[in-house]
């Protein structure tokens, strides 16, 4: 009897400790996501509709405009800032959003090159950078997204050809490049 109580006590203690550890890990991970998104906000030079006004440490990341967190890991799964009239560049820290599945920045005025650090986003299924002012060559690291289903790069200032490695992606269903002038 005494031994049973001891085992139950130890089991409950371990369960309590493991749940505390899990909460701590989730806070650390969401803090990483928060830092990456605050870096993006810092790189936005124009936000005429004050879309990013609630992006602050006083509000949960999962309640920020354009953000959807996954239910399972409580990490940022979707970043959708499409059609928000934002101007700015992409910081390297966006590559720290390791649970990101959807990245939609279309129809804004983002510019510069697509940072190599974005290649760390291996869970991406949907990417839309269409109708911005990105330049440079289309990065070959797009070919390192095994789950990628759709990529929109239309109406930017990209030069060169589409890296052939992109066409080896077995999940890829939609690729949109070119410009309205090509239509």
């Amino acid at each position: 009897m005494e031994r049973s109580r001891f085992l139950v006590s130890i089991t409950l203690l371990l369960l309590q400790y493991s749940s505390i550890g899990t909460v701590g890990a989730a806070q650390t991970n969401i803090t990483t996501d928060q830092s990456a998104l605050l870096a993006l906000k810092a790189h936005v030079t124009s936000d005429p509709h004050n879309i990013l006004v609630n992006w602050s440490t006083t509000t949960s990341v999962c309640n920020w405009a354009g953000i959807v967190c996954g239910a399972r890991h409580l990490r940022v799964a979707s970043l959708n800032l499409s059609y928000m009239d934002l101007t700015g560049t992409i910081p390297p820290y966006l590559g720290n959003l390791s649970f990101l599945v959807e990245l939609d920045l279309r129809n804004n005025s983002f510019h510069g090159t697509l940072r190599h650090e974005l290649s760390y986003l291996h869970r991406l299924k949907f990417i839309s950078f269409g109708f911005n002012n990105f330049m440079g060559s289309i990065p070959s690291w797009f070919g390192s997204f095994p789950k990628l289903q759709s990529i929109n790069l239309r109406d930017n200032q990209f030069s060169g050809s589409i890296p052939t490695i992109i066409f080896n992606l077995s999940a890829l269903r939609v690729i949109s490049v070119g410009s309205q002038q090509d239509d």
Side-chain angles (χ1 to χ4, degrees):
M1 176 85 161
E2 191 65 34
R3 185 170 187 240
S4 295
R5 280 190 213 167
F6 176 75
L7 289 175
V8 168
S9 297
I10 293 295
T11 303
L12 290 174
L13 184 63
L14 288 173
L15 285 172
Q16 183 180 9
Y17 176 75
S18 69
S19 67
I20 291 170
T22 303
V23 170
Q27 288 174 341
T28 301
N29 292 335
I30 199 68
T31 300
T32 302
D33 291 355
Q34 180 186 55
S35 296
L37 293 168
L38 288 174
L40 175 61
K41 180 181 179 181
H43 280 77
V44 170
T45 56
S46 178
D47 178 8
H49 307 294
N50 293 317
I51 302 295
L52 306 180
V53 71
N54 80 327
W55 283 31
S56 74
T57 56
T58 60
T59 307
S60 169
V61 172
C62 298
N63 293 324
W64 290 2
I67 304 297
V68 175
C69 290
R72 183 173 174 205
H73 296 288
L74 296 177
R75 298 287 304 275
V76 174
S78 174
L79 172 57
N80 185 340
L81 299 177
S82 61
Y83 297 92
M84 294 190 180
D85 293 325
L86 301 173
T87 301
T89 59
I90 304 298
Y93 307 104
L94 215 57
N96 291 336
L97 298 174
S98 56
F99 282 79
L100 201 63
V101 175
E102 174 187 2
L103 177 57
D104 191 350
L105 300 178
R106 71 189 140 149
N107 288 78
N108 284 291
S109 293
F110 284 103
H111 56 277
T113 59
L114 296 178
R115 307 294 301 241
H116 179 265
E117 289 81 1
L118 295 176
S119 68
Y120 304 147
L121 303 175
H122 294 287
R123 296 174 193 255
L124 280 176
K125 293 181 180 179
F126 177 85
I127 300 170
S128 185
F129 292 126
F131 300 92
N132 278 285
N133 296 305
F134 291 112
M135 59 184 191
S137 59
I138 296 172
S140 62
W141 49 255
F142 278 128
S144 67
F145 297 140
K147 299 177 181 181
L148 191 61
Q149 298 172 10
S150 176
I151 184 169
N152 176 1
L153 302 174
R154 287 185 61 90
D155 287 281
N156 279 284
Q157 306 301 316
F158 292 116
S159 58
S161 59
I162 301 168
T164 56
I165 192 167
I166 291 174
F167 299 107
N168 292 337
L169 296 171
S170 61
L172 188 63
R173 301 288 177 257
V174 176
I175 183 167
S176 182
V177 293
S179 67
Q180 289 181 342
Q181 297 162 345
D182 296 342
D183 293 341

